[in-house]
Amino acid sequence: MKEIFGKAGALKKEYDWVKAAELYEQALSMVGKKDFLKKGEVQEKIGYCFHRAAFQAESREEFRERMQRAVEAYEKAHGFYEKLADAQKTARMFRCGAVAKYLGYWLVSDPSGKRKLLDESLELEGKALTAFWNLGDTQEYGKTYSDIPLVFRLRGFYEWDGQTLKGIIEEGTRWGEKAIVALSELGDLCGIARAYCVLATCLFFNEYCFIAELEEKEKNHLKVVKYLSKAVDISEKLGDAFLLGMAHLWLGINTGGEESIRHFEKTLECGEKTRNNFLKAGGLDFLAYRTAWKSFAAEDPDQRARLGEKAMEFYDRAQHHYKIMSFLSPRGGIIAPPGGYA
């Protein structure tokens, strides 16, 4: 089994998530019949691989098939953990439930259904984090926080009530800050960088929705940039192109002008390397946004036309990747194509 795990780890570094999942499935058959902890851990690995593989899909059908397999893997892990007798049982069950609900978000189409799944995911995540913290298992606490990377950002866009949104963001911020302290004490660089990226999505909403004073806004903004810059440094050190791409995507959103364009270009580069549709779509989408604004500001008619065409090219390419995930641009659109806004 050790050899299989080693091969799967090598495939993951090459972003070959489907083959890595297949190897973990082979390893599962070698786990002892009553070793429910190991069986659950392997099923979580399978689920994570199919989760990442889903975002490499070349069609909507392939995306749904892989995401469904990820959900099923976490549900099976939940079943194995349910058979445990030790204190880890409840925490791991809550985590698997939280991740499964989050992944289910990508499989439903109606906004109310998506919101419901995200709410259920957050509730279970909170229970899992509390349980791991009470057990003193800070490694699993940090892993749980980072294994549901977009839940706060996605849920935030479905909330119109300010107080409800504020509660969600404050909770996510508290969880994230605790995760970073705990992971820093453990020296888990990858975990720290992942947590920084998740926490940044909470601080984004905090700055734009709840901080009125300019000085406090700037303080929050500098904290976000600092965290994400650290995530970039760690990702480069680890050679993790996906994590690097996510850090650059959030940095691009939290900066402006040519600096943001450089971040989005890096996001796209990382998306191509990892074959990740979310990174490619995000990079292209925001490049379209920034390029369109450059076009509007250009005084020369020829330059304005060239930039406008380039912006539409970015937009069209972004929509191709978004459609595979059935995902709508969170920026609300700036370029009006014949069929309407993004």
Side-chain angles (χ1 to χ4, degrees):
M1 188 187 300
K2 185 177 180 180
E3 182 180 353
I4 292 178
F5 272 39
K7 289 180 179 178
L11 287 169
K12 286 159 64 175
K13 289 182 179 180
E14 296 173 0
Y15 313 105
D16 196 338
W17 297 103
V18 172
K19 288 184 179 179
E22 291 171 350
L23 284 178
Y24 283 129
E25 288 175 331
Q26 290 180 31
L28 188 63
S29 64
M30 302 177 185
V31 180
K33 190 175 181 180
K34 297 292 184 179
D35 192 348
F36 300 121
L37 177 60
K38 178 59 70 175
K39 282 180 176 290
E41 289 175 340
V42 176
Q43 279 292 173
E44 283 198 82
K45 291 180 184 294
I46 293 169
Y48 183 77
C49 286
F50 277 120
H51 171 198
R52 293 287 297 273
F55 288 96
Q56 296 177 322
E58 296 183 3
S59 68
R60 176 60 182 164
E61 294 72 26
E62 189 174 54
F63 175 85
R64 290 184 61 83
E65 185 269 333
R66 291 178 178 180
M67 193 64 77
Q68 185 60 47
R69 292 184 71 175
V71 172
E72 291 170 358
Y74 279 102
E75 289 175 343
K76 288 177 181 178
H78 182 283
F80 286 130
Y81 291 141
E82 193 171 15
K83 297 176 182 179
L84 292 174
D86 62 23
Q88 288 274 333
K89 171 181 177 176
T90 303
R92 289 174 180 267
M93 287 172 60
F94 281 143
R95 177 171 66 205
C96 288
V99 178
K101 294 293 185 182
Y102 164 73
L103 298 178
Y105 158 92
W106 297 95
L107 295 172
V108 299
S109 56
D110 64 294
S112 61
K114 286 180 175 290
R115 174 175 169 160
K116 181 175 182 291
L117 285 165
L118 292 174
D119 279 337
E120 292 172 347
S121 177
L122 282 168
E123 181 181 358
L124 290 167
E125 180 181 0
K127 290 179 178 180
L129 290 169
T130 298
F132 279 125
W133 191 264
N134 290 340
L135 289 169
D137 196 335
T138 53
Q139 184 79 61
E140 294 300 325
Y141 181 98
K143 179 180 185 301
T144 301
Y145 182 74
S146 301
D147 273 358
I148 317 176
L150 298 172
V151 66
F152 300 105
R153 183 171 177 79
L154 295 175
R155 181 61 183 84
F157 287 118
Y158 283 97
E159 189 52 64
W160 293 101
D161 181 77
Q163 286 304 113
T164 301
L165 177 59
K166 187 175 183 180
I168 293 170
I169 297 309
E170 287 180 346
E171 197 165 47
T173 301
R174 286 196 302 272
W175 294 347
E177 289 175 343
K178 286 175 71 174
I180 289 169
V181 170
L183 293 167
S184 296
E185 291 176 352
L186 293 170
D188 182 351
L189 291 179
C190 182
I192 294 167
R194 293 175 71 206
Y196 275 143
C197 287
V198 180
L199 178 56
T201 65
C202 294
L203 295 175
F204 169 86
F205 279 108
N206 190 42
E207 177 180 342
Y208 283 92
C209 300
F210 303 114
I211 300 178
E213 297 81 5
L214 290 178
E215 186 176 338
E216 287 301 311
K217 276 184 177 288
E218 180 65 14
K219 185 178 178 180
N220 185 90
H221 177 74
L222 291 174
K223 181 187 290 187
V224 173
V225 172
K226 176 183 176 182
Y227 285 167
L228 291 173
S229 297
K230 287 183 177 181
V232 166
D233 292 341
I234 293 171
S235 303
E236 289 178 337
K237 182 178 180 179
L238 297 176
D240 189 328
F242 172 74
L243 192 52
L244 180 63
M246 291 296 286
H248 276 294
L249 177 60
W250 304 141
L251 271 170
I253 292 171
N254 284 278
T255 54
E258 292 300 319
E259 181 182 358
S260 69
I261 289 175
R262 288 193 295 272
H263 287 305
F264 294 135
E265 288 174 341
K266 190 64 178 181
T267 300
L268 179 57
E269 179 185 321
C270 292
E272 296 290 350
K273 184 174 182 177
T274 60
R275 306 185 298 284
N276 186 281
N277 285 312
F278 186 83
L279 288 180
K280 287 189 278 189
L284 289 163
D285 184 31
F286 282 97
L287 281 171
Y289 176 88
R290 296 298 185 190
T291 306
W293 276 109
K294 288 179 69 175
S295 172
F296 299 155
E299 296 183 2
D300 179 76
D302 292 336
Q303 183 185 22
R304 189 182 308 125
R306 285 194 299 272
L307 288 171
E309 290 176 3
K310 188 176 181 180
M312 283 306 303
E313 179 188 346
F314 285 143
Y315 171 86
D316 289 338
R317 290 170 62 193
Q319 294 312 299
H320 168 74
H321 296 291
Y322 277 143
K323 285 177 181 177
I324 291 173
M325 304 175 286
S326 288
F327 190 72
L328 296 176
S329 168
R331 64 178 174 76
I334 189 70
I335 308 168
Y341 281 92

